[in-house]
Amino acid sequence: MQRFPNLFRTITLGPITVRNRIVFSAHLTNFAQNGNVSDQHVAYYKERALGGVGLIITEEHSTHESDWPYEKMIHGFRPEVVNGYIAITEAVHQAGSRIFAQINHNGAQGTSNYSRLPLFGPSPKMDPMFREVPKQVTESDIVDIISGYVKVAEHARLGGFDGIELQCSHSSIVRQFLSPITNERTDRWGGSIENRARLMVALIEATRQAIGPNMALGIRICGDEMVEGGLEIEDAVKVAQIANGTSMVDYINTSIGIATQSLYSIEASMAIPPGYSLFIPAAIRQVVDIPVVAVGRFKDPSHCERAIRDGQADLVGVVRGQIADPNFAKKAKEGLEHEIRTCLSCNQECVGRMGVNRWLGCIENPDAGKEAARNSTVNSGGSLGIGIGAFAASNQRSVRVAGAPRRVAVVGAGPAGLQAAISSARQGHLVALFEANAEVGGALTLASKAPHRAELADLIRNQLSELGRMGVSPNTNHTITLDEILNLTPDAIVVATGSVPELPWWSVGHLADNEISTPKVTNPATVLNGLDRPTGRVVVYDDLGFHQATSVAELLAERGCQVVVVTPHLSVGTDLGLTLDLETWQLRNSRNSVRQEVECVAVGMTETSILLQRHTTGETLTIEADWVVAVNHGRSENTLYRNLRHAGWSEGLFLIGDAVAPRRAHSAVIEGDLVGALIP
Amino acid sequence: MKLLSPIPIGGYASKNRVMFGPHLTNLGRDRAPSEDWLAYFEARIVGGAGIVVTEEASVHQSDWPTERWLLAERCPWGWKRLADMAKTHGTLMIASIGHAGGEGSSAYSQRAMLAPSPVPEVDQREMPKELEEFEIELLLESFSRAAASAVDAGMNGVEINLSTRSLIRQFLSPLSNQRSDELGSDRSLFLRKIVAAVRSAIGSELFAVRLTLDEFAPWGGLEPEALCTIAKSIASSVDLFTVTSGSLYTKARQRPDFHTREAFNDHLATLLNSHLERSTPVFLQGSVTSAAIAEVLLTDQICDGVEMTRAQIADPNMVNNLTTTRSPTPCVLCNQFCMVGDSRNLRVSCLVNPDAGYERSEPEKRRASLPMRRVYAPVKVIGAGPAGMELALKLAEAGRTVEIIDSCEAPGGLLTALAAHGVGGIMLRLRDFYLSNLASSKVRIELGYRLGITELEVMLKDSVVVEATGATGSMIPETLRNSAFVRQVSTQELVMQRKIPAERSVVIDDRIGNHEAAWAAELAAQFSESTHLVTPDPSPLSRLNTGDLMDAVSRLRNNGVITHTLSKVRSNKLPSAVTIESLFSDAKLELHDPLLITVGIRNSATISPDLVHPKLFRIGDCLAPRNMHYAILEARRLADRLLSTGAD
Ligand SMILES: Cc1cc2nc3c(=O)[nH]c(=O)nc-3n(C[C@H](O)[C@H](O)[C@H](O)COP(=O)(O)O)c2cc1C
Ligand SMILES: Cc1cc2nc3c(=O)[nH]c(=O)nc-3n(C[C@H](O)[C@H](O)[C@H](O)COP(=O)(O)O)c2cc1C
Ligand code: SF4
Ligand code: SF4
C-alpha cells in the first residue's frame, strides 16, 4: 500500500498534469556559464527527474540586461539560451517530470558591478544588502521590463518548458513594487495595494499572452517579508486574491522573507523548526481556487504528506531535501523513505556556497553539483593519499568495470571513514571498518550534541544506514594497531582518524587536571562529550569563527554558566553568516546573556584569568574566569598513516578527512567518496 | 627623464624603468588566458611599459586560490601571443609563476591546501596539509616545468613570488615553517632548490624574484636584514629583484590605499641595494603612482626601476603620455575597483578608468549601441564633477563645442569637497588632471550659476543638454521620519559643508559600511565629544574591501568611536532624541540632541525630474547615485554616442 497516498496523487496546474505533489522549487545553482545554461544544469535537473520529482521549477532567468545581481546568472533575455533550454526540458520530460522556468527581474536587489548599468527600482531606495541606490523606473522603463518578461517567456516556450513561474517574492522587482518599504511612488504604480500590484498584474497578462493557453503560469509570492513595516500575511492574501482574480494564473507558490534581508527565513537552517512557513499556503489556500505550494524545510515525506492531507497545501516544495537526495520522491513512493539521505539543513555547501559565487554542493551528497562530471573516466595519475596525488582525479569518478573485489581496511568511523567505507562497498570491495570510540561519527557526533545542532547527526545516521544495507558494520571500541592491520592483508588502507584537540600555546600549563592553577582549560570536544563540565565564569576563546565556539557557548549558557565569547575576529561567529545561523544564534544568546568580546587575541593566563590583547588598539584586557574553552585548530591524527608510509605503503594508502588537516565535514565526505573509485 | 632611460637586465635591456607588475585580473576563463586578458595586457604594452610581468599562474593544480586564478599549464598560448606582440614594442615580457600554499583556497579544488606546516591563514582560518616529501618533489618539478614552458612560449623570463600568497615565503618564514626535517632546520633550502630548478629550466633567460623584505610580525616573522641576506644568497642566479613588504598578518601592505604614503618601501629598496652592492637591479614596488616621485627615487638611487601597476591600470598609456602634453589619468590609490581577490570574480577595473579590464568589450558595446542620430548642436554640460568634466573633455578633444555650468564657486564637485577635508587630498590630482586638460582643450566652465528648469528648456532648443548634477543627500531614513527635530546631515552634505561645528554627540547611521562610513566616523570623532557608529552588520565597516579594513577599525578604536553592531537607529518619542537599538536584544541607548549623520543615503540632484526630451541626457549620480566609476563610464559612453558618425 502506498504510504503517502496524498503525496503521490496527480494534480493539474492549468493545462499541465503533474505526476505527484513533490516540487523541486526554484533555487540558484551557480551552474550558469557566460550567462547561459550549462551541461551541468541538464545533468542536475535530469537526476532529480529520474529520482521521481513531479515538478521542477528552474532557477530564475533574468528578464533584462539591467538585472545581473550575481555573476553566474542565466540571461534569459538572450536568444542563445533556447538551445540549452531544449536540452534541459527534453532530459526532464524523458524522465517523466514537468518543468517550469522561473523568470524574474531582481530590481534593486542587485548590483551594477556586472551589468555596468544602473539598477531599476520602484523608488530610489537602496536594498539593505546590496546597498546601491537604483534608478526610479519611468513609464518607459516599465514598458521595457514587461517586454523583457515577454521575451523570456517566449524563449521558455520555444525551449520546451511546461510553464512559467513569475517570482513576485523574495528577490524581485515585483515584490519591491508590492511592498510599501520599497515602493514610495505616488503615481498609478504606488499607493493602494491595487496600484502596487499593477506591475504584477501587467506581467501576468503579458506573460499569459506570450505563452498561450497550453503552458501553465504560476506566481511565487512572499507570505511575510519578516522585516519591520513590510508585507505580512494579510497583504499576501490580498495579493493572491488579485492574482487569482485575473483568471490567468494556474497555481501559487509561496515563500517567506526577503532574500537580501531576511534570507535566514527563506532557507531556514536547522535552528528554525520545520513547518515554520506553513501558515502562508494555509492562509492563501482559503481564498483562492487554484493549487497552492508550501515550501520551507520539508525534509521527510511524511511531513509533506501531512501538509497535503490536512489541507494546508496542494503541493510541497522540497529543495534542499532533493539536493541532498535526488531520489527523495522515488524512495518515498517505493516505501523506502528510511533510505533517504536526509538534508541536514546545515546550509554549508548549498546556501553557503551560493553566497560566495561558487557552484552548489552538499554535505550529504558529494555528487551534488558534479552530476555532469560523473560519467567521465577517472584519470588516476599515480594517486597516493588524498593529498596531492589525487588531484589528477579531481572531481571525476567512474564505476569500476572489472577486477576482483579488494580488501579495504578503513580506520576511523567519522564522516570521512564512513563515506570511504560506503564508496568502497559500492564498488564491490570487502570493507572492514574500525573505530576506537564507542560511538561512531567522530567530531560531527559531538558537534550535534549542542543546542539546535542535532540534525547534524543525521549525516552519520544516513551513512550508517547505507553501510548497514551493504552489510558493513563498524567495529567500535577497536583501536587497531599497525600489525593488526597488516595481518588483515588489505589491498587498500584508508586512514580517517580525524584530529585531536591541541592546547594553544598561551594556555600551556593550565590543563584541566592541573591542581595548581585555575582557570581550567578545555576544548569543545571534551565539553560536548561530557568529560569536562565547566561551571561558573567561562571564557570561550574562539580562533575558528564557526559553530564550535557558538555551540559550546550556548550549551554552557543554558547550563547556567556566565559565558564570554572572545575572538580575535571582528565579530563572533564570522562564518555563521553564510549558513544563515548568525541571526538566530544572536537572538537566542542575547537572551542567554552571552557576552561578546571581539578583536582580542589571547596572550596568556594568570591564576584567575585569561589575558588578552586587543589587536586594534594594543591595549591589554583581563577576564576573570573559572574555565577557559579554547576553540582552536586541532592536530591531525595521522600517526598510522605515517607509520604505514614508513613501512613502505604508497599505492592503496589513503589519508582523508580531518586526518589530512582539520577542516569541516564536507571535506571529509568528499574525500571519503573519492576513495572507492581510486582503489587500484 | 631617468625614468624613461634604458637599463640592462640580465642579458636584455629594458627600454625604460617602468614595470607593470603581476596582479589578479579575473579576466581569464577556466584558469586560462582569454581574449579579454590579452587585450588588457596589450593596452599596457602599447602604452609604453618597459617590463610587463603577467598575472601569476599556479605551477600545479593543487593551488587554486580564486576561481579564475591562472594555471601555468593552460597559459603557454596566451604567453606566446603576448610575447609576439611585445616584440614590436620592445617590451620585456616576464611570466609570473607561483604556488600560494596555505594562503590559497580549498573551495575550488575541493582538496586541502598544501603548506610547509599546519598553520592556518589568518582570514580564512583554514588548516592546510603539511607537505610530504613526495609532494615537495612534485612541486619542484612543477616549478621547473612551468618556467620552461614560459620561455618556450617566447617570454623573456619568469618571476617567482616570495611575497604574499607564496608557498616559498611560507617555507622561509618561522611563522609558517615549523617542520622538523631538513626543510625546517634550513628554511631557505626550499627556495634554493626552486631557484636552482628554475634557473636550469630557463637557461640564460631573465629570472626575476619578487620578495617581501619585512613580514611586519616582530614576534616571530622575518625582518629586513634576514630577508636581505636571503636575497643576497640567491642573487648570483637572479637578474632582477622587486621589493615588496608584508606577509601573513599584513597582506594589505602589498598594495595599500592612500592612507599609506607613496613609495613606502623605499627604505627597504635602499637596504637591499646596500646588501647587493648594486650587483643586481632592484625595482621598487608599492604605491608609486606619479612619474615625478618615481623620478626622484631613481635620481636618488634608491632603486633602479619602479613598478607602477595601479598607475597603468588607471592610464594604460601612462608612459607614453609622459612624452605628450596630455597629463596621464592619475591613480588615486583608492583600491575600489582594482582589488578583485574576493569571490565575486569582478574583473579588474579602475575608479577613474572604467575601460580598464574592458579593453575589448567596452568599445564593442559602445559601437553596437550607437544607432543614434548624429547631433551637431553644441553641448551644455550641467555639473563640473567627474561625470561632467570627463564628458566635456572627451567631446572637446574630439573638436566639439562644449560648455560646463556649475552652481558651485569651485569646479570639481565632490572631488574638491573631499579634498577640502584632508582625507581625500589625493582626489585633487584627479580634479587637476581634468582642469588642466580642460584648459588646454579650451573648455569654458561657468561657475556659481544655478540653472533653473525653464532655462534648461530654453537651452534644449539649440543645444544638447547633459545633466551631470550628481546627488544630494537629503533623504531621511524611514526609521527616523517621525522625528522632524533631529538635526541630520548626510555624508554627502558633510563633504560639501565647509565648516564642521563642535558637537556633544554624533550618531552615524551607517547602512553601507564602506570607506564613506569610516571617513565620517573619523571626522566626527574630531569635532564631537562622543561618536557612535551604528550598523546592522555584525562588525563595523563590513564592506570596506579596499585593504584598509583592519587599519580603519584601529583608527575607529583609537579615536574613541563607540561602535554599535547588529543595531539600528530609531526616532524617539522625545523630540530631538534618537535611540540606538540592538536588533536582537532589548539593549537600548537613548541620546539627546545628537547630530545624526546618515551614510550613503542619497538622491538624484536632477533639476528636471519629469522632463523627457530627445536632446536631454543624464549621467552619473544624477541618473542613480552610485560612484565615480559609473559617472565616468556613463560620460564616456555618452561622449561616444554624441560623437558617433551614425545616420544623420
Ligand atoms: C541555494 C538556494 C538558492 C535559492 N534560490 C532561489 C531562487 O532563485 N528563486 C526562488 O524562488 N527561491 C530560491 N530559493 C528558495 C527555495 O526555493 C526554497 O524556498 C527554500 O530552499 C526552502 O525550501 P527547502 O527547505 O525545501 O530547501 C533558494 C534556495 C536555496 C537553498
Ligand atoms: C564542536 C564541533 C563542532 C563542529 N561543527 C561543525 C559543523 O557545524 N559543520 C561542519 O562541517 N563541521 C563541524 N565540525 C568539524 C567536523 O565535525 C569535522 O570536520 C569532521 O567530522 C571531520 O571528519 P573526519 O574526522 O572523519 O575526518 C565540528 C567539530 C567540532 C569538534
Ligand atoms: S548542504 Fe546541508 S543544507 Fe544544503 S542540501 Fe546539503 S545537507 Fe541540506
Ligand atoms: S581603482 Fe583606484 S587604486 Fe585602483 S588603479 Fe584605479 S584609481 Fe588606482
Side-chain angles (χ1 to χ4, degrees):
Chain A
M1 201 201 76
Q2 177 49 258
R3 300 245 298 117
F4 309 109
N6 290 297
L7 198 50
F8 289 96
R9 238 184 307 123
T10 59
I11 186 167
T12 57
L13 306 177
I16 301 297
T17 304
V18 180
R19 62 179 163 183
N20 59 46
R21 306 301 180 92
I22 302 173
V23 182
F24 196 36
S25 211
H27 58 286
L28 313 182
T29 61
N30 280 340
F31 296 154
Q33 281 174 3
N34 301 319
N36 208 335
V37 298
S38 66
D39 293 347
Q40 171 52 28
H41 274 114
V42 179
Y44 178 75
Y45 289 128
K46 179 180 173 185
E47 182 130 332
R48 273 75 194 170
L50 288 169
V53 65
L55 171 65
I56 292 172
I57 302 166
T58 66
E59 71 181 281
E60 61 177 358
H61 304 249
S62 164
T63 53
H64 194 263
E65 59 174 355
S66 61
D67 181 33
W68 192 352
Y70 47 92
E71 187 189 26
K72 294 164 187 117
M73 169 174 243
I74 301 172
H75 301 293
F77 54 88
R78 281 168 29 193
E80 307 91 275
V81 294
V82 173
N83 284 339
Y85 287 179
I86 292 172
I88 293 176
T89 55
E90 279 183 354
V92 167
H93 286 152
Q94 263 169 29
S97 302
R98 295 298 201 163
I99 182 162
F100 298 172
Q102 186 180 75
I103 71 177
N104 190 30
H105 190 303
N106 287 269
Q109 288 172 284
T111 169
S112 300
N113 280 329
Y114 301 105
S115 70
R116 312 185 100 210
L117 296 169
L119 296 176
F120 279 180
S123 303
K125 300 202 64 186
M126 68 186 177
D127 174 77
M129 186 184 95
F130 281 103
R131 303 179 183 183
E132 182 176 323
V133 183
K135 174 186 182 213
Q136 170 164 337
V137 290
T138 59
E139 288 283 342
S140 83
D141 293 330
I142 293 176
V143 171
D144 231 33
I145 293 171
I146 296 172
S147 66
Y149 274 74
V150 168
K151 201 188 293 171
V152 183
E154 270 159 13
H155 293 160
R157 183 171 53 80
L158 295 171
F161 281 100
D162 301 302
I164 295 278
E165 179 174 286
L166 305 177
Q167 202 216 101
C168 307
S169 49
H170 40 277
S171 187
S172 172
I173 197 166
V174 184
R175 183 193 53 74
Q176 291 152 30
F177 267 88
L178 288 169
S179 173
I181 306 181
T182 34
N183 185 347
E184 295 181 337
R185 298 176 76 103
T186 50
D187 59 3
R188 66 195 185 105
W189 305 97
S192 67
I193 182 70
E194 286 71 26
N195 279 358
R196 283 182 278 132
R198 195 177 299 283
L199 180 64
M200 179 184 78
V201 172
L203 290 171
I204 290 171
E205 288 168 354
T207 311
R208 173 51 85 196
Q209 180 142 39
I211 60 177
N214 298 328
M215 281 170 72
L217 177 61
I219 60 167
R220 189 168 198 191
I221 58 180
C222 173
D224 190 330
E225 293 190 315
M226 304 287 289
V227 291
E228 200 181 323
L231 296 172
E232 292 180 14
I233 185 66
E234 300 77 39
D235 309 292
V237 165
K238 276 202 206 102
V239 171
Q241 283 171 314
I242 292 174
N244 193 37
T246 63
S247 304
M248 294 182 201
V249 176
D250 300 317
Y251 76 95
I252 291 178
N253 195 351
T254 57
S255 77
I256 180 166
I258 299 180
T260 43
Q261 194 174 9
S262 40
L263 187 64
Y264 64 88
S265 59
I266 306 176
E267 298 151 357
S269 84
M270 63 183 87
I272 295 180
Y276 71 103
S277 57
L278 209 42
F279 69 97
I280 297 168
I284 290 176
R285 209 164 171 273
Q286 307 280 317
V287 299
V288 300
D289 52 13
I290 45 180
V292 179
V293 189
V295 195
R297 229 151 103 60
F298 284 94
K299 311 209 314 176
D300 71 74
S302 57
H303 185 199
C304 303
E305 169 75 12
R306 208 176 328 127
I308 299 171
R309 187 199 64 202
D310 296 351
Q312 289 163 309
D314 302 283
L315 300 102
V316 179
V318 179
V319 176
R320 287 167 294 175
Q322 295 185 88
I323 296 174
D325 193 339
N327 294 315
F328 179 93
K330 191 158 83 184
K331 288 175 180 171
K333 190 170 182 202
E334 294 169 1
L336 302 172
E337 66 276 9
H338 52 280
E339 292 193 9
I340 292 172
R341 278 191 81 147
T342 336
C343 159
L344 314 176
S345 302
C346 67
N347 281 345
Q348 280 182 218
E349 296 300 285
C350 53
V351 175
R353 285 181 67 96
M354 280 316 99
V356 284
N357 191 19
R358 293 169 183 150
W359 40 264
L360 177 107
C362 173
I363 288 209
E364 268 282 3
N365 175 5
D367 252 5
K370 300 167 195 156
E371 287 82 357
R374 185 184 23 226
N375 295 325
S376 35
T377 47
V378 167
N379 157 23
S380 55
S383 67
L384 286 155
I386 306 280
I388 207 169
F391 269 99
S394 66
N395 295 323
Q396 305 169 337
R397 63 214 53 232
S398 73
V399 178
R400 225 164 62 97
V401 210
R406 303 288 182 182
R407 297 153 66 82
V408 181
V410 180
V411 185
L418 289 169
Q419 194 66 27
I422 291 173
S423 68
S424 305
R426 278 185 193 156
Q427 302 277 346
H429 299 309
L430 305 168
V431 179
L433 173 60
F434 302 94
E435 167 60 49
N437 293 316
E439 222 177 342
V440 299
L444 203 68
T445 295
L446 294 179
S448 71
K449 294 183 197 282
H452 303 283
R453 303 296 296 156
E455 284 173 57
L456 269 187
D458 288 358
L459 174 62
I460 306 299
R461 186 200 65 198
N462 296 336
Q463 287 178 314
L464 273 181
S465 130
E466 180 167 359
L467 271 182
R469 291 195 299 279
M470 295 190 291
V472 180
S473 65
N475 301 291
T476 49
N477 282 321
H478 193 138
T479 308
I480 195 161
T481 62
L482 186 66
D483 289 342
E484 240 181 302
I485 292 195
L486 296 177
N487 285 340
L488 294 170
T489 60
D491 300 301
I493 304 175
V494 183
V495 179
T497 39
S499 64
V500 290
E502 188 161 56
L503 278 177
W505 64 268
W506 46 263
S507 77
V508 173
H510 292 258
L511 292 166
D513 57 1
N514 183 334
E515 294 295 317
I516 314 156
S517 60
T518 78
K520 298 192 174 75
V521 179
T522 183
N523 56 65
T526 319
V527 174
L528 289 165
N529 68 19
L531 291 179
D532 276 342
R533 295 190 64 86
T535 50
R537 301 162 303 170
V538 182
V539 168
V540 177
Y541 178 79
D542 183 20
D543 252 344
L544 302 184
F546 204 40
H547 285 287
Q548 290 88 336
T550 47
S551 279
V552 171
E554 181 165 11
L555 177 78
L556 295 179
E558 287 188 356
R559 286 190 192 157
C561 301
Q562 294 151 257
V563 179
V564 191
V565 187
V566 180
T567 176
H569 313 142
L570 298 179
S571 63
V572 165
T574 355
D575 287 358
L576 298 193
L578 277 178
T579 61
L580 314 180
D581 283 305
L582 189 66
E583 290 90 347
T584 47
W585 185 87
Q586 287 288 0
L587 199 58
R588 296 191 306 270
N589 288 282
S590 64
R591 268 187 238 129
N592 283 343
S593 309
V594 171
R595 206 179 109 201
Q596 303 174 35
E597 199 63 70
V598 298
E599 300 162 21
C600 287
V601 194
V603 290
M605 296 186 59
T606 71
E607 303 276 291
T608 60
S609 64
I610 176 168
L611 295 176
L612 305 165
Q613 182 169 44
R614 201 182 295 282
H615 59 76
T616 44
T617 58
E619 73 189 297
T620 46
L621 281 79
T622 310
I623 301 183
E624 299 288 313
D626 302 305
W627 282 81
V628 172
V629 185
V631 186
N632 55 337
H633 283 99
R635 181 165 43 79
S636 289
E637 178 42 73
N638 57 12
T639 323
L640 182 62
Y641 172 81
R642 279 189 279 119
N643 291 341
L644 284 162
R645 293 277 292 149
H646 204 69
W649 271 77
S650 57
E651 200 84 350
L653 174 63
F654 301 94
L655 180 68
I656 59 172
D658 281 6
V660 174
R663 291 155 298 157
R664 293 181 186 166
H666 71 280
S667 311
V669 176
I670 288 170
E671 287 162 1
D673 190 58
L674 274 175
V675 167
L678 291 175
I679 286 173
Chain B
M1 278 180 110
K2 190 162 182 202
L3 188 62
L4 300 182
S5 66
I7 175 176
I9 294 179
Y12 291 96
S14 171
K15 64 177 174 182
N16 61 42
R17 289 155 188 259
V18 183
M19 175 191 281
F20 187 54
H23 55 282
L24 193 65
T25 66
N26 281 337
L27 295 174
R29 274 291 177 279
D30 297 326
R31 309 201 70 189
S34 67
E35 293 299 327
D36 287 350
W37 187 86
L38 293 167
Y40 177 75
F41 284 103
E42 178 177 8
R44 277 78 198 170
I45 291 169
V46 173
I51 304 176
V52 170
V53 187
T54 52
E55 180 169 2
E56 180 171 335
S58 296
V59 296
H60 188 267
Q61 52 178 328
S62 56
D63 183 38
W64 194 345
T66 64
E67 187 173 354
R68 305 210 187 291
W69 196 282
L70 298 178
L71 186 60
E73 63 189 56
R74 299 190 188 167
C75 290
W77 72 272
W79 285 332
K80 182 166 188 330
R81 286 263 301 270
L82 282 185
D84 289 347
M85 177 203 320
K87 281 203 189 86
T88 53
H89 298 276
T91 315
L92 286 183
M93 296 300 299
I94 297 181
S96 169
I97 56 172
H99 193 295
E103 295 167 279
S105 171
S106 65
Y108 307 102
S109 69
Q110 305 239 289
R111 295 294 178 283
M113 291 183 284
L114 303 169
S117 301
V119 175
E121 186 271 343
V122 279
D123 291 338
Q124 293 191 74
R125 309 171 296 278
E126 183 172 327
M127 192 60 113
K129 175 183 194 259
E130 176 170 271
L131 275 160
E132 295 179 56
E133 237 168 86
F134 76 91
E135 293 166 330
I136 291 172
E137 288 306 314
L138 227 127
L139 290 184
L140 281 171
E141 266 167 47
S142 330
F143 265 97
S144 67
R145 199 173 328 114
S149 72
V151 296
D152 282 351
M155 299 291 276
N156 303 107
V158 298
E159 177 180 281
I160 58 168
N161 174 13
L162 277 65
S163 184
T164 47
R165 280 192 150 154
S166 159
L167 176 71
I168 310 178
R169 193 213 71 244
Q170 289 156 29
F171 266 101
L172 287 177
S173 172
L175 293 173
S176 40
N177 182 350
Q178 294 152 9
R179 297 175 72 91
S180 52
D181 61 6
E182 208 190 356
L183 290 161
S185 54
D186 177 2
R187 289 192 317 269
S188 52
L189 179 59
F190 184 72
L191 169 66
R192 294 201 306 277
K193 286 180 182 220
I194 294 269
V195 168
V198 170
R199 180 43 95 194
S200 89
I202 63 173
S204 60
E205 297 294 324
L206 287 183
F207 189 176
V209 171
R210 167 172 303 262
L211 87 164
T212 176
L213 281 187
D214 195 339
E215 289 205 297
F216 291 108
W219 64 90
L222 290 170
E223 304 208 351
E225 286 290 336
L227 282 157
C228 284
T229 311
I230 292 171
K232 194 171 176 189
S233 72
I234 55 167
S236 60
S237 307
V238 174
D239 300 310
L240 166 63
F241 282 104
T242 301
V243 171
T244 74
S245 59
S247 168
L248 207 54
Y249 297 91
T250 43
K251 276 182 301 229
R253 291 290 295 196
Q254 192 66 19
R255 45 176 317 171
D257 72 3
F258 60 84
H259 289 91
T260 304
R261 78 178 164 89
E262 286 182 63
F264 57 90
N265 284 328
D266 49 4
H267 62 294
L268 295 172
T270 307
L271 186 70
L272 182 60
N273 257 328
S274 72
H275 277 259
L276 297 180
E277 291 157 354
R278 303 220 159 256
S279 57
T280 312
V282 171
F283 274 52
L284 171 69
Q285 176 265 17
S287 301
V288 183
T289 51
S290 80
I293 289 184
E295 188 64 17
V296 171
L297 293 166
L298 292 171
T299 47
D300 287 356
Q301 302 210 344
I302 292 191
C303 55
D304 306 296
V306 285
E307 174 179 326
M308 297 180 72
T309 300
R310 281 174 287 178
Q312 294 174 89
I313 297 175
D315 190 341
N317 286 312
M318 193 271 295
V319 176
N320 288 346
N321 275 337
L322 293 176
T323 58
T324 67
T325 52
R326 192 188 201 272
S327 51
T329 310
C331 163
V332 294
L333 290 175
C334 68
N335 278 351
Q336 278 174 256
F337 282 83
C338 57
M339 274 218 338
V340 292
D342 66 40
S343 63
R344 293 174 298 169
N345 295 344
L346 295 175
R347 288 161 173 246
V348 67
S349 194
C350 174
L351 182 76
V352 300
N353 173 22
D355 290 355
Y358 295 84
E359 282 77 8
R360 207 168 62 95
S361 56
E362 184 61 31
E364 264 172 30
K365 186 178 241 147
R366 283 186 216 159
R367 266 196 303 279
S369 62
L370 289 181
M372 198 180 125
R373 288 186 52 192
R374 181 160 185 180
V375 190
Y376 294 100
V379 180
K380 300 261 200 278
V381 179
I382 310 172
M389 293 195 293
E390 173 78 21
L391 175 68
L393 184 58
K394 280 274 177 303
L395 294 175
E397 283 177 343
R400 286 291 292 270
T401 312
V402 52
E403 184 189 0
I404 308 182
I405 303 157
D406 195 298
S407 61
C408 294
E409 297 297 334
L414 271 180
L415 291 178
T416 305
L418 270 171
H421 290 301
V423 182
I426 196 163
M427 289 291 178
L428 279 185
R429 271 196 200 164
L430 188 63
R431 185 197 64 175
D432 295 344
F433 154 80
Y434 279 121
L435 292 180
S436 77
N437 286 328
L438 284 169
S440 43
S441 299
K442 311 244 177 331
V443 175
R444 207 177 92 83
I445 307 182
E446 182 168 349
L447 293 168
Y449 190 78
R450 188 171 293 278
L451 203 72
I453 172 89
T454 22
E455 264 173 297
L456 190 149
E457 275 167 330
V458 173
M459 256 182 200
L460 279 168
K461 292 212 176 81
D462 57 1
S463 307
V464 171
V465 178
V466 180
E467 275 204 86
T469 44
T472 60
S474 57
M475 267 172 73
I476 298 176
E478 65 277 7
T479 45
L480 294 165
R481 288 226 174 119
N482 306 327
S483 173
F485 299 108
V486 176
R487 292 174 307 122
Q488 189 206 12
V489 59
S490 69
T491 37
Q492 165 112 13
E493 291 161 329
L494 198 62
V495 165
M496 304 298 281
Q497 218 163 289
R498 296 275 148 230
K499 274 208 334 255
I500 310 256
E503 290 286 338
R504 221 169 35 164
S505 59
V506 170
V507 174
I508 300 170
D509 185 4
D510 176 21
R511 302 169 189 208
I512 308 270
N514 63 0
H515 56 278
E516 211 171 303
W519 169 81
E522 280 167 50
L523 186 67
Q526 287 168 29
F527 66 83
S528 82
E529 284 164 35
S530 75
T531 304
H532 301 263
L533 179 69
V534 186
T535 165
D537 298 333
S539 58
L541 309 179
S542 67
R543 301 292 173 88
L544 190 60
N545 48 14
T546 56
D548 186 38
L549 177 62
M550 293 316 282
D551 286 349
V553 173
S554 289
R555 293 196 301 270
L556 290 185
R557 301 283 174 243
N558 292 325
N559 283 319
V561 174
I562 304 158
T563 56
H564 303 261
T565 53
L566 299 171
S567 300
K568 66 178 169 202
V569 184
R570 186 192 281 287
S571 62
N572 193 291
K573 282 189 210 67
L574 299 169
S576 317
V578 301
T579 307
I580 300 171
E581 271 181 19
S582 160
L583 294 178
F584 296 106
S585 73
D586 299 330
K588 272 189 176 59
L589 177 70
E590 214 165 83
L591 288 166
H592 293 275
D593 196 29
L595 176 69
L596 186 74
I597 301 178
T598 52
V599 180
I601 302 231
R602 302 187 305 155
N603 235 350
S604 160
T606 172
I607 47 181
S608 62
D610 300 315
L611 191 59
V612 179
H613 188 283
K615 282 195 288 179
L616 175 66
F617 301 91
R618 295 185 188 93
I619 56 175
D621 282 359
C622 171
L623 181 63
R626 287 149 298 159
N627 57 45
M628 210 190 301
H629 177 81
Y630 295 108
I632 296 174
L633 177 63
E634 281 155 10
R636 290 188 184 178
R637 286 179 175 172
L638 181 59
D640 277 12
R641 287 184 73 191
L642 294 175
L643 292 168
S644 95
T645 51
D648 275 285

